Amino acid sequence: MSLLRQIVVLLVLAAFAVGGWLWLGPTTGPAAERGSGPRAVPILLAQVTETEIRESVEAVATTRASDAVEIVPLVDGRIESLDFAPGQRVKKGDLLATLDSEVERAAVDEAKAMLGDARAQFERSQTLAKTRSVADARVDELQAAYLAAQAKLATAEKHLAEREIRAPFEGIVGLREVSVGARVDDTTKITTLDSLDELEIEFSVPEQYYGRVGVGSEILATASNYPGREFKGVVASVDSRVDAVARAFRVRADLPNADLALPAGMFMVVEIVLDTRKALVVPEQAVLSQGRATFVFRRQGDKVERLEVGLGVRRYGEAEIAKGLSLGDEVAITGLQRLRDGSPVTIQQAPATTPVS
C-alpha cells in the first residue's frame, strides 16, 4: 500500500474515533453520573382520610300546601265587608267576608215569630187535651205546624249563615281578589287559603332507585333564595307504578315549615338520602382511569407504585375508595401523566394561601 493511501486511512479512522467520542460522551466521571437513570418527578401528595359519605339522588320539585283552597261564596250577593289582611294567619271558622244579608235576616226574624206562635198553640192544645176540650186530631195538627216552623227557622238561619264566608281550616290567606261592594257568585274567587306549617313536595326519581326509596326515607331540600340552608323532610308515599315513557316513579314527601319560610309553588332541588356511612376518600384528581380500571399512584419511600383501586361514590371533589388503599396512605395528586410504576419522585409542599383582606 502506498504511503499516501495509508495516511488517508489513518485520518478516516481518527475522525470516526473523535466523532464517536463526542456523540456518545464520556462513560465515566461526573457528567456520566448526571445522565444515568430516570429523573425524579416532583409531585404533591394527599393522604387517604375517613369521612362520612352520603349516597343520594337528586330531583327537582315544587312545594304544595298540605291543604289549599280557593275561597268562593256559596251564594250570590254583594260584598259587604272583607275581614282579613293578605298574608294573615287565620283559624278554622274565622270570618273572612260577609255578603249583604238584609233579606235573610228578615226571613230569620219572620221564622222565629212563626215558631213562637206555633209553639204557643201546640202547648195550649196539649193542656186542653187533658180535659178533652180539644180533639186529638187538632193536637196532632198543631204539633206538625210547630215542627214545620222549627224547620223553617233552621232553613232561614242556614241561608243567613251562607252570607258569612269563614275559613274551613287554619292557614294563611292570600291576596284579596275582590273589593267591598263587588257583586259575586259561587264562581268568584275572593282569596286563597293555604296551610303552610307543613308542605308537600312531589318529584320523580329514576327507576333504578325503585326499592331504595321508601316511606320514611330522609330528604334534604334547598331553594335558591335561601343559600346554605337545608330543609329536612321525609318521604310520605311512593307511587306503585313506573312511568313507561320517563322511566321514573313519583314520590311525595312532607316538609316541615314551622317558620313559614317557604310558600306554596316554590321550585326546590331535592336530595333523597339513600345511605350514610363512614368511608375512605381521596381527592378526585388522584384517580386515573384506563378503560374500566381506575388506579392511583401510592407513595413508597422515594418512589411511587401504580395501584388499581375500587371506587364508590364521587362527589364534591372527592372519590370514595372501596378497596385498594388504607387510612393514612399517601397518593400523588399532581404529575400523574409523567408517573410510571416505580418512578422516583420528589415531594413538593403545597403553596401557602394568603388570606384575602
Side-chain angles (χ1 to χ4, degrees):
M1 180 182 296
S2 66
L3 179 61
L4 180 59
R5 188 172 182 180
Q6 290 179 359
I7 293 173
V8 171
V9 170
L10 290 175
L11 289 176
V12 170
L13 291 175
F16 272 111
V18 173
W21 183 85
L22 290 174
W23 179 73
L24 292 174
T27 58
T28 61
E33 293 177 1
R34 288 196 301 268
S36 64
R39 290 187 177 183
V41 179
I43 62 170
L44 291 176
L45 293 174
Q47 276 196 338
V48 178
T49 58
E50 186 178 58
T51 188
E52 185 175 84
I53 289 288
R54 192 169 68 196
E55 186 180 358
S56 59
V57 59
E58 287 191 349
V60 294
T62 302
T63 59
R64 300 191 308 187
S66 55
D67 292 303
V69 294
E70 292 184 349
I71 302 298
V72 297
L74 295 175
V75 293
D76 299 354
R78 179 178 56 83
I79 295 291
E80 196 170 72
S81 68
L82 293 172
D83 303 283
F84 68 91
Q88 177 184 345
R89 176 185 283 275
V90 297
K91 296 181 179 179
K92 181 179 180 179
D94 281 356
L95 184 65
L96 301 180
T98 55
L99 305 179
D100 58 305
S101 56
E102 292 84 357
V103 174
E104 288 73 20
R105 292 182 187 279
V108 169
D109 292 340
E110 180 184 4
K112 285 180 178 179
M114 294 179 63
L115 176 62
D117 180 60
R119 181 189 298 112
Q121 291 192 44
F122 174 56
E123 291 175 350
R124 189 179 306 114
S125 68
Q126 286 181 311
T127 302
L128 293 174
K130 294 177 183 179
T131 61
R132 304 305 243 174
S133 300
V134 64
D136 292 341
R138 178 58 179 168
V139 174
D140 293 341
E141 182 182 340
L142 292 174
Q143 183 181 21
Y146 173 54
L147 295 175
Q150 285 182 317
K152 186 173 182 179
L153 175 60
T155 301
E157 289 177 337
K158 181 178 181 299
H159 290 163
L160 178 61
E162 289 175 344
R163 314 302 286 183
E164 295 180 341
I165 303 169
R166 297 183 178 273
F169 52 81
E170 183 175 353
I172 307 297
V173 290
L175 299 175
R176 293 179 175 182
E177 302 293 344
V178 296
S179 301
V180 173
R183 294 289 303 180
V184 296
D185 55 30
D186 59 1
T187 64
T188 305
K189 182 172 75 171
I190 294 177
T191 187
T192 58
L193 178 64
D194 297 317
S195 178
L196 299 176
D197 292 325
E198 185 172 78
L199 298 174
E200 181 183 88
I201 53 177
E202 181 177 309
F203 46 91
S204 294
V205 179
E207 64 179 355
Q208 62 262 37
Y209 297 102
Y210 199 91
R212 299 192 66 188
V213 178
V215 175
S217 296
E218 181 184 3
I219 70 160
L220 301 172
T222 57
S224 59
N225 58 321
Y226 292 109
R229 180 175 178 182
E230 288 185 334
F231 298 86
K232 295 183 178 180
V234 293
V235 172
S237 56
V238 178
D239 198 357
S240 60
R241 296 183 178 183
V242 174
D243 187 279
V245 177
R247 310 313 310 176
F249 59 97
R250 294 187 303 161
V251 177
R252 288 179 181 171
D254 294 330
L255 196 67
N257 188 38
D259 60 353
L260 305 182
L262 300 174
M266 175 170 283
F267 175 85
M268 302 195 79
V269 176
V270 178
E271 181 182 3
I272 308 97
V273 180
L274 302 176
D275 184 31
T276 301
R277 62 183 182 277
K278 292 289 186 179
L280 300 180
V281 296
V282 296
E284 197 167 21
Q285 63 264 38
V287 179
L288 288 178
S289 298
Q290 186 174 6
R292 294 185 177 181
T294 53
F295 59 90
V296 298
F297 287 98
R298 180 171 62 180
R299 180 188 183 185
Q300 296 282 22
D302 59 354
K303 296 184 178 182
V304 292
E305 66 170 335
R306 183 177 182 270
L307 186 66
E308 186 172 347
V309 294
L311 296 186
V313 177
R314 290 192 185 207
R315 57 189 297 119
Y316 307 131
E318 292 181 330
E320 178 190 3
I321 301 298
K323 63 177 181 178
L325 291 174
S326 301
L327 183 64
D329 283 349
E330 293 180 313
V331 295
I333 58 173
T334 62
L336 272 62
Q337 300 301 329
R338 299 170 58 190
L339 294 177
R340 300 292 182 270
D341 189 29
S343 293
V345 293
T346 57
I347 311 305
Q348 295 183 319
Q349 296 295 325
T353 57
T354 303
V356 180
S357 59

